[in-house]
Amino acid sequence: MPDTGDPRIRLEHRDHVAILTIARPEKLNALDMSMMSALERAAQLIEAERDIRIVLLTGEGEKSFCAGGDIEGWAGFSPLDFGRAWVRHGHRAFDAWARLRQPVIAVLNGHALGGGLELAAVADLRIAEEHVMIGAPETGLGIIPGWSGTQRVARRFGAQLTRRMALFGEVFAAQEALALGLVDALAARGAGLAKAQDYVERILARGPVALELTKALINAAEGEETERPLEAIAGALAATTEDLKEGVAAFRAKRKPKFRNE
Ligand code: COA
């Protein structure tokens, strides 16, 4: 698997399964600009690799899945750059992840806070280890949850739950997060990746193309994106027709096509 461009964003791939690990445990896996670029690149690599059928997204260490954006890095931004660079960059990377062809499972090995919650939200399923805490502390720092924390997070988990976290600063422990639908399954400390195997096997037993199309349709229903899946599915259908062959043949022969409507 090619390099993501930053060793703290580690991508491995084996037996149809890709594992993306955020590996900056000394800073609780907080994401800086270079790591965001690497995350975006990783999504492009995964998208292009036909052999990958499911992706696990996790963090290194026991304490944190991701403690959000790198707060230290904010000092270097002008207000406009904060919007133009930091927020837009985060959206590009997280959108690419939420719209991946393959199903994604977030294995919350530790806390998911702020950008960590926003990153967990890009996944199709979340498994939390029992010690995990989940929340959106940004307004307590005087900033907004800007990597779709008021948008995708609200779409996926509901606006009211988002209000509780983002406006009132509620932080949920794993068990409560399960009851509220923020996560889909629990695992013992250190056992999240093993627990994910059950779900990996379920995915690998299903038709990859059907899964890809179904994920795109569910994303469209949720408002994640509509234009690209619609055109991708329609394009794939049109590409199966004899009329396309005829159109291309006519183009090459510099003649008018004789379409047969089939
Ligand atoms: N950005 C940059 N550095 C971060 C960070 C972040 N979001 N979250 C944690 N770190 C760093 C700490 O500065 C510390 O670095 P240091 O050892 O060089 O001082 C290291 O990670 C360990 O964190 P620390 O705060 O000492 O651990 P803790 O167990 O006392 O507290 C948290 C854990 C998660 C409660 C606390 O780190 C925290 O509140 N982090 C910020 C979470 C947040 O607000 N995220 C939203 C940003 S979008």
Side-chain angles (χ1 to χ4, degrees):
M1 177 63 68
D3 198 351
T4 65
D6 188 318
R8 298 168 300 171
I9 298 294
R10 209 169 55 223
L11 185 58
E12 298 154 280
H13 164 209
R14 176 172 358 106
D15 300 334
H16 306 303
V17 184
I19 303 184
L20 188 294
T21 308
I22 306 168
R24 194 193 184 194
E26 70 285 2
K27 293 287 182 186
L28 304 188
N29 298 328
L31 296 167
D32 62 21
M33 288 286 272
S34 161
M35 293 165 80
M36 289 308 272
S37 297
L39 266 180
E40 190 182 356
R41 168 107 180 107
Q44 289 161 354
L45 293 170
I46 291 166
E47 182 86 27
E49 177 55 65
R50 185 183 278 239
D51 189 54
I52 295 175
R53 294 185 42 205
I54 173 133
V55 187
L56 305 181
L57 175 59
T58 193
E60 193 163 281
E62 282 204 341
K63 197 165 175 184
S64 176
F65 167 68
C66 172
D70 187 334
I71 297 168
E72 306 286 343
W74 295 350
F77 289 117
S78 72
L80 270 182
D81 281 346
F82 198 89
R84 286 175 180 161
W86 181 259
V87 173
R88 283 174 73 94
H89 198 49
H91 271 256
R92 272 208 316 274
F94 284 21
D95 287 356
W97 272 84
R99 298 166 192 184
L100 272 177
R101 286 189 298 109
Q102 301 92 336
V104 177
I105 300 175
V107 175
L108 307 184
N109 56 296
H111 305 322
L113 297 169
L117 166 66
E118 292 164 324
L119 183 59
V122 305
D124 299 288
L125 191 98
R126 280 153 289 279
I127 297 171
E129 295 184 10
E130 60 194 5
H131 61 291
V132 163
M133 306 291 289
I134 300 176
E138 290 95 333
T139 53
L141 292 162
I143 196 72
I144 62 137
W147 288 340
S148 217
T150 62
Q151 305 296 309
R152 180 175 296 115
V153 170
R155 282 198 304 271
R156 297 218 163 168
F157 306 124
Q160 189 53 26
L161 203 44
T162 307
R163 284 188 186 95
R164 288 177 65 182
M165 293 187 286
L167 299 181
F168 294 92
E170 283 194 69
V171 178
F172 298 112
Q175 191 74 48
E176 202 175 0
L178 179 69
L180 291 166
L182 271 175
V183 301
D184 305 287
L186 297 187
R189 186 186 281 261
L193 281 172
K195 174 82 182 172
Q197 280 313 307
D198 301 348
Y199 294 95
V200 166
E201 278 157 32
R202 284 166 191 251
I203 291 292
L204 294 183
R206 286 163 186 268
V209 175
L211 280 170
E212 178 179 337
L213 296 173
T214 303
K215 172 169 174 169
L217 293 170
I218 295 169
N219 272 1
E222 200 182 35
E224 174 64 45
E225 62 166 347
T226 48
E227 292 173 24
R228 190 173 61 157
L230 196 60
E231 291 190 354
I233 294 167
L237 180 62
T240 64
T241 60
E242 290 301 315
D243 283 349
L244 172 65
K245 287 185 196 149
E246 168 59 13
V248 172
F251 172 79
R252 287 201 176 125
K254 299 188 189 304
R255 61 171 169 80
K256 285 199 169 163
K258 294 185 188 115
F259 291 122
R260 298 205 310 260
N261 197 17
E262 57 186 31

